[in-house]
């Protein structure tokens, strides 16, 4: 029995590893058909040896054995590349074999563990672990690989001069006057750096939390304290709907605003606010660089629902009898709200704010059509820029010329690394703050 | 009465009224409805000032509703209607500002409900809520002394109130309601979630506070009612069956229902 279960364990682990490898590399496919057949044989041996040694023999083992034979046959029949009029593109067969191997090897591992540990109820509990450990392991590995790639490619290029200087170039659009004639200047690089991108990310986070925090908390408090049941339902529904709107829809509104500004608000302060200082349209509509202020307002539209929801949940989580105790002491509604309910929901609000800031730092949907390279400095009215946009720009380029892509391309992992550091640092600070406040107000 | 006044003056509160006398509560033809259902039916009752009155009766007879009407906490529940009059020192409370009323009528609940703050902040919560000017440290000391908590807690005033035992939390709730110098204190089965020793301490502090405050206590425990109360009101199915001095009610009740309840025939 023991030998059979050890053999089955080894075979199913081999199948599991093979499945993971096929998943990891697109076209990797090493003998899935024989492996599946061996797996089914091992399962059958497991079943019959369990019957011979008078242990509880699970009928479902046979089902899995049959399934693995069936999937081996299906794999044998499939062509190497799948394509057709219902599939846009090509799928290599290894994808399917990875699917079969993973779905069949995980239960096989469970069964062999069950018999290896003696087929007791305790062994049954332990033998279920692979069912959730394998997916968790896969996801963690994926995250780990991404992190590893960012750190290995990004960290060595990080130095002080990169952080301390803004990126500057002379793009093909600009002209200088020489001897009374305009001269087009070709792409030239003046300075490599990500200072403006970092500052822009921070400014975006700060501005959008500044806008969304009071409004979000206000909405949460209103829904919880002042709105009637019907009103509360309507508000909750609309905040959820706002959250569900994709950022790309907001971009459409933003573009229309920019067009409106360039057509009708020329030369006024509103044009500066909507478009930023550096926008140069020259009569034709260029997908345009909005200011930090406008970008923050639009990002706030994404954050406000989060903050409103967490605030309301925090307020709801306060036990009813404590609120009653406050009312019974003659405290006014406002006093109860400010001194009791809001401090209680601070930890929730901080969590919401961190989520919102991460959204502001990493969001691309709103600003990737409206951002610039930040040559013009960082202030609320300048054109938007952020690390997220830099990464996008390095990868996919922009319409106005490829200086950024050419010169900043090697630094995209560094930018991702810095963005990651900012987000993680923020989360850590928020966690510490949250714990301190929770200790103070909840006595936990 | 002189002794009463002396004991009240050491409360270092310089509010609107420094030396208020305990107020008497009078109910005149009180009917209370929750939606269609009538909970209390025509209750006429006078709670004597500066005494402890126990309200006894089987579960669901409206004891807690009666208590919550006196500081108008019943208004928090939707669909509650009150008819009749409730007089505090001759003033109709239904025409008073509820916040001012609740400053004069404190309440201690069935389950201890300290605020999620430090012990000191808990005691000072009411004082800060009504923006009364007073010496904070002295108020904390005197209130905790009255609730028999000062000796246990004087070194840990800045700890969270949630770290206390249940009995200490309940006495903290009493201390908290004393800080705003109420005239009447309503106690809604304050001992029901406590252990025997905490119950003894709690009863001792209730006895100590006699004479300074009018106390109305709802209780299920006959022994407790007998031990601490001066008067007893017996409620049955929303009606007031009998009201009188504790000794008389427990020895020679005039009504059959009261007798049955006290001797344990009706629950």
């Amino acid at each position: 029995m023991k030998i059979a279960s050890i053999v089955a364990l080894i075979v199913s682990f081999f199948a599991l590893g093979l499945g993971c490898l096929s998943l990891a590399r697109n076209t990797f496919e090493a003998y899935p058909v024989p492996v599946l057949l061996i797996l089914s044989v091992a399962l059958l041996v497991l079943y019959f040896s369990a019957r011979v040694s008078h242990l509880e023999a699970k009928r479902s083992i046979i089902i899995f054995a049959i399934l693995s034979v069936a999937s081996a046959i299906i794999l044998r029949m499939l062509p190497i590349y799948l394509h057709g009029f219902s599939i846009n593109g090509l799928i290599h067969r290894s994808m399917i074999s990875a699917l079969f191997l993973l779905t069949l090897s995980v239960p096989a591992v469970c069964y062999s563990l069950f018999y290896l540990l003696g087929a007791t109820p305790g062994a049954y509990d332990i033998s279920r672990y692979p069912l959730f450990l394998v997916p968790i392991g896969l996801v963690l590995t994926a995250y780990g690989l991404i992190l590893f790639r960012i750190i290995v490619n990004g960290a060595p290029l990080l130095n002080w001069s990169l952080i301390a200087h803004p990126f500057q170039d002379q793009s093909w659009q600009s002209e200088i006057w020489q001897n009374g004639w305009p001269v087009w200047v070709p792409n030239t690089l003046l300075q490599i750096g990500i200072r403006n991108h970092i500052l822009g990310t921070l400014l975006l986070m700060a501005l959008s939390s500044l806008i969304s925090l009071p409004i979000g908390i206000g909405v949460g408090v209103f829904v919880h304290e002042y709105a009637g049941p019907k009103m509360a339902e309507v508000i909750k529904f609309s905040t959820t709907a706002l959250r569900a709107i994709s950022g790309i829809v907001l971009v459409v509104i933003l573009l229309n605003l920019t067009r409106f500004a360039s057509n009708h608000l020329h030369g006024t302060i509103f044009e500066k606010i909507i478009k930023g200082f550096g926008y140069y349209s020259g009569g034709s509509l260029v997908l345009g660089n909005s200011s930090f202020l406008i970008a923050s307002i639009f990002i706030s539209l994404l954050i406000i629902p989060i903050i409103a929801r967490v605030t309301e949940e925090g307020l709801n989580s306060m036990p009813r009898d404590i609120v009653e105790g406050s009312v019974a002491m003659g405290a006014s509604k406002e006093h109860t709200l400010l001194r009791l309910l809001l401090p209680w929901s601070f930890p929730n609000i901080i969590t919401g704010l961190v989520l919102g800031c991460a959204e502001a730092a990493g969001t691309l949907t709103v600003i990737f059509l409206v951002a610039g390279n930040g040559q013009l400095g960082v202030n609320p009215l300048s054109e938007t820029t952020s690390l997220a946009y830099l990464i996008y720009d390095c990868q996919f380029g922009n319409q106005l010329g490829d200086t950024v892509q050419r010169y900043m391309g090697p630094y995209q992992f560094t930018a991702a690394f810095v963005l990651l550091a900012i987000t993680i640092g923020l989360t850590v600070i928020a966690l510490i703050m949250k714990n301190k406040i929770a200790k103070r107000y909840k006595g936990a | 009465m002189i002794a009463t006044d002396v004991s009240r003056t050491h409360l270092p509160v310089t509010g609107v009224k420094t030396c208020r006398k305990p107020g008497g509560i009078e109910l005149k033809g009180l009917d209370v409805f929750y939606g269609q259902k009538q909970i209390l039916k025509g209750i006429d009752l006078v709670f004597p000032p500066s005494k402890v009155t126990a309200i006894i009766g089987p579960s669901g007879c409206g004891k807690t509703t009666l208590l919550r009407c006196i500081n108008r906490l019943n208004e928090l529940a939707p669909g509650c209607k009150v008819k009749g009059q409730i007089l505090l020192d001759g003033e109709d409370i239904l025409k008073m500002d509820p916040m001012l009323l609740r400053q004069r009528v404190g309440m201690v609940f069935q389950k201890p409900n300290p605020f999620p703050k430090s012990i000191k902040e808990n005691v000072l919560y009411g004082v800060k809520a009504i923006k009364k000017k007073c010496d904070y440290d002295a108020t904390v000391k005197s209130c905790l002394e009255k609730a028999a908590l000062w000796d246990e807690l004087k070194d840990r005033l800045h700890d969270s109130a949630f770290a206390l035992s249940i009995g200490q939390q309940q006495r903290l709730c009493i201390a908290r309601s004393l800080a705003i110098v109420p005239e009447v204190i309503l106690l809604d089965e304050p001992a029901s979630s406590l252990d025997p020793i905490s119950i003894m301490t709690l009863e001792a502090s209730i006895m100590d506070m006699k004479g300074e405050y009018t106390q109305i206590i709802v209780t299920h425990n006959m022994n407790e009612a007998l031990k601490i109360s001066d008067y007893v009101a017996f409620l049955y199915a929303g009606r007031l069956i009998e009201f009188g001095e504790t000794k008389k009610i427990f020895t020679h009740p005039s009504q059959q229902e009261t007798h049955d309840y006290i001797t344990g025939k009706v629950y």
Side-chain angles (χ1 to χ4, degrees):
Chain A
M1 181 72 236
K2 205 150 209 179
I3 297 167
S5 54
I6 288 174
V7 168
L9 193 64
I10 292 170
V11 169
S12 48
F13 262 122
F14 186 71
L16 186 66
L18 208 62
C20 289
L21 281 177
S22 310
L23 199 66
R25 283 211 71 86
N26 192 19
T27 52
F28 181 85
E29 192 182 31
Y31 310 111
V33 178
V35 168
L36 279 170
L37 290 175
I38 293 171
L39 188 69
S40 79
V41 170
L43 282 172
L44 285 175
V45 168
L46 196 65
Y47 177 76
F48 285 112
S49 59
R51 291 199 68 158
V52 166
S53 48
H54 300 291
L55 288 169
E56 184 196 0
K58 303 244 176 208
R59 290 272 169 77
S60 43
I61 297 181
I62 293 194
I63 298 177
F64 278 108
I66 294 170
L67 273 179
S68 72
V69 173
S71 49
I73 294 169
I74 293 173
L75 271 187
R76 188 73 190 80
M77 280 155 59
L78 281 178
I80 293 181
Y81 286 103
L82 301 174
H83 56 87
F85 46 118
S86 59
I87 303 172
N88 274 335
L90 296 172
I91 297 176
H92 194 265
R93 195 174 56 190
S94 69
M95 205 65 201
I96 315 276
S97 66
L99 196 73
F100 283 152
L101 282 171
L102 282 178
T103 45
L104 288 169
S105 61
V106 174
V109 170
C110 290
Y111 284 125
S112 24
L113 263 180
F114 177 62
Y115 287 112
L116 189 64
L117 293 172
T120 56
Y124 184 79
D125 287 345
I126 295 174
S127 69
R128 302 292 103 166
Y129 286 174
L131 283 181
F132 56 90
L133 283 182
V134 168
I136 291 175
L138 280 177
V139 170
L140 281 185
T141 314
Y143 272 123
L145 285 174
I146 293 170
L147 273 183
F148 179 75
R149 195 160 174 218
I150 287 176
I151 291 171
V152 163
N153 290 324
L157 288 173
L158 186 67
N159 56 48
W160 180 246
S161 119
L162 187 72
I163 294 177
H165 294 103
F167 176 78
Q168 283 175 328
D169 66 348
Q170 197 80 55
S171 78
W172 60 274
Q173 244 195 346
S174 56
E175 49 187 3
I176 56 169
W177 291 84
Q178 242 174 28
N179 305 327
W181 293 94
V183 177
W184 293 104
V185 177
N187 286 347
T188 47
L189 176 75
L190 299 179
Q191 179 70 53
I192 275 180
I194 55 173
R195 189 191 77 180
N196 280 356
H197 297 96
I198 294 176
L199 288 180
T201 309
L202 296 178
L203 185 67
L204 269 181
M205 285 200 286
L207 270 182
S208 41
S209 21
L210 210 65
I211 297 168
S212 54
L213 204 55
I215 300 178
I217 293 179
V219 171
V221 167
F222 181 78
V223 168
H224 182 263
E225 287 286 315
Y226 297 97
K230 251 185 199 167
M231 185 83 158
E233 275 307 307
V234 170
I235 293 174
K236 271 191 211 167
F237 178 77
S238 22
T239 44
T240 317
L242 190 60
R243 183 80 197 109
I245 291 177
S246 164
I248 206 81
V249 179
L250 297 179
V251 169
V252 172
I253 304 172
L254 206 56
L255 285 178
N256 278 317
L257 262 183
T258 348
R259 189 199 306 236
F260 178 78
S262 60
N263 288 345
H264 299 284
L265 300 172
H266 193 67
T268 63
I269 181 77
F270 298 109
E271 190 198 15
K272 286 178 178 175
I273 289 174
I274 290 176
K275 294 185 353 190
F277 281 125
Y279 191 76
Y280 180 77
S281 82
S284 62
L285 180 69
V286 184
L287 287 180
N289 319 349
S290 84
S291 68
F292 279 104
L293 204 58
I294 287 290
S296 306
I297 288 172
F298 276 84
I299 293 173
S300 310
L301 288 181
L302 297 177
I303 306 178
I304 285 170
I306 306 179
I307 294 185
R309 181 51 68 89
V310 295
T311 307
E312 201 217 329
E313 271 166 17
L315 295 176
N316 275 334
S317 75
M318 169 153 261
R320 199 65 227 163
D321 55 345
I322 293 183
V323 180
E324 230 168 41
S326 169
V327 174
M329 299 207 55
S332 61
K333 202 170 184 175
E334 288 70 33
H335 192 271
T336 310
L337 188 67
L338 289 178
R339 294 297 161 86
L340 206 60
L341 282 164
L342 277 184
W344 176 272
S345 48
F346 264 161
N348 285 51
I349 295 174
I350 288 174
T351 313
L353 187 64
V354 169
L355 283 176
C357 280
E359 174 106 35
T363 191
L364 207 52
T365 40
V366 172
I367 60 167
F368 85 100
L369 286 178
V370 293
N373 298 321
Q375 287 116 317
L376 296 146
V378 174
N379 81 56
L381 296 180
S382 299
E383 65 176 23
T384 326
T385 186
S386 92
L387 283 170
Y389 175 70
L390 177 66
I391 297 164
Y392 164 79
D393 202 7
C394 290
Q395 197 68 42
F396 302 106
N398 60 4
Q399 305 97 326
L400 297 176
D402 56 355
T403 11
V404 178
Q405 199 174 9
R406 194 190 300 162
Y407 296 112
M408 292 301 290
Y411 294 99
Q412 53 181 310
F413 285 104
T414 316
F417 182 67
V418 173
L419 184 59
L420 203 69
I422 290 175
T423 326
I424 290 178
L426 199 74
T427 316
V428 169
I429 291 172
L431 267 181
I432 294 170
M433 259 171 82
K434 193 180 152 182
N435 283 346
K436 278 201 169 161
I437 290 178
K439 207 175 251 173
R440 193 167 151 214
Y441 287 108
K442 296 196 176 178
Chain B
M1 277 325 252
I2 293 167
T4 308
D5 284 341
V6 166
S7 75
R8 285 181 74 72
T9 43
H10 85 262
L11 257 188
V13 177
T14 53
V16 196
K17 289 181 193 170
T18 337
C19 279
R20 287 192 295 207
K21 277 183 186 171
I25 300 272
E26 196 178 345
L27 312 179
K28 281 184 179 171
L30 184 71
D31 293 318
V32 178
F33 303 84
Y34 275 112
Q36 295 296 313
K37 202 180 166 201
Q38 187 166 10
I39 308 289
L40 293 177
K41 297 161 188 167
I43 302 227
D44 290 298
L45 186 54
V46 178
F47 294 103
S50 61
K51 298 284 185 201
V52 178
T53 309
I55 304 177
I56 58 172
S59 298
C61 69
K63 304 186 296 289
T64 301
T65 308
L66 176 63
L67 206 64
R68 288 168 78 92
C69 282
I70 297 175
N71 69 352
R72 289 175 66 178
L73 268 188
N74 62 329
E75 288 169 10
L76 296 185
C80 182
K81 262 188 301 179
V82 177
K83 281 180 191 167
Q85 274 188 318
I86 304 173
L87 305 177
L88 171 62
D89 285 340
E91 239 182 301
D92 190 352
I93 67 158
L94 296 177
K95 287 171 189 150
M96 284 167 75
D97 177 5
M99 287 198 291
L100 288 177
L101 168 73
R102 287 168 194 154
Q103 289 166 25
R104 293 173 63 184
V105 182
M107 183 149 183
V108 177
F109 292 82
Q110 191 169 0
K111 227 176 89 199
N113 56 348
F115 299 131
K117 290 171 181 286
S118 72
I119 295 166
K120 190 177 171 184
E121 285 295 314
N122 256 282
V123 178
L124 293 176
Y125 184 86
V127 178
K128 285 181 178 168
I130 63 178
K131 298 188 179 65
K132 196 184 234 175
K133 286 213 169 59
C134 66
D135 182 351
Y136 286 164
D137 289 331
T139 310
V140 171
K141 185 165 188 274
S142 70
C143 291
L144 288 180
E145 271 172 352
K146 286 190 176 197
L149 272 176
W150 176 251
D151 293 334
E152 297 165 45
L153 299 183
K154 63 184 169 194
D155 298 325
R156 38 190 294 216
L157 289 179
H158 295 282
D159 286 9
S160 168
F162 283 9
L164 300 177
S165 74
I166 299 288
Q168 286 173 326
Q169 286 187 10
Q170 189 64 300
R171 276 180 282 146
L172 181 65
C173 290
I174 294 181
R176 176 178 87 177
S177 65
L178 296 183
I180 46 173
V181 200
E183 298 161 42
V184 182
I185 299 178
L186 311 172
L187 301 121
D188 185 2
E189 297 183 43
S192 62
S193 54
L194 306 188
D195 60 287
I197 295 176
S198 305
I199 292 177
M200 272 169 60
T201 339
L202 185 84
E203 286 172 354
S205 16
I206 292 175
M207 307 269 270
D208 282 348
M209 293 189 300
K210 263 187 204 179
E212 289 178 55
Y213 310 97
T214 308
Q215 295 177 77
I216 304 173
I217 178 167
V218 164
T219 181
H220 273 297
N221 189 335
M222 292 303 118
N223 283 332
E224 193 175 271
L226 186 59
K227 203 155 81 181
I228 61 177
S229 67
D230 302 308
Y231 293 90
V232 168
F234 176 60
L235 247 62
Y236 187 78
R239 288 182 203 286
L240 178 69
I241 306 295
E242 196 169 354
F243 174 77
E245 283 185 31
T246 308
K247 265 186 193 162
K248 190 183 157 283
I249 296 266
F250 276 96
T251 48
H252 304 291
S254 59
Q255 305 289 324
Q256 186 59 36
E257 285 111 322
T258 320
H259 183 262
D260 288 351
Y261 182 70
I262 286 166
T263 52
K265 285 181 191 159
V266 176
Y267 290 102

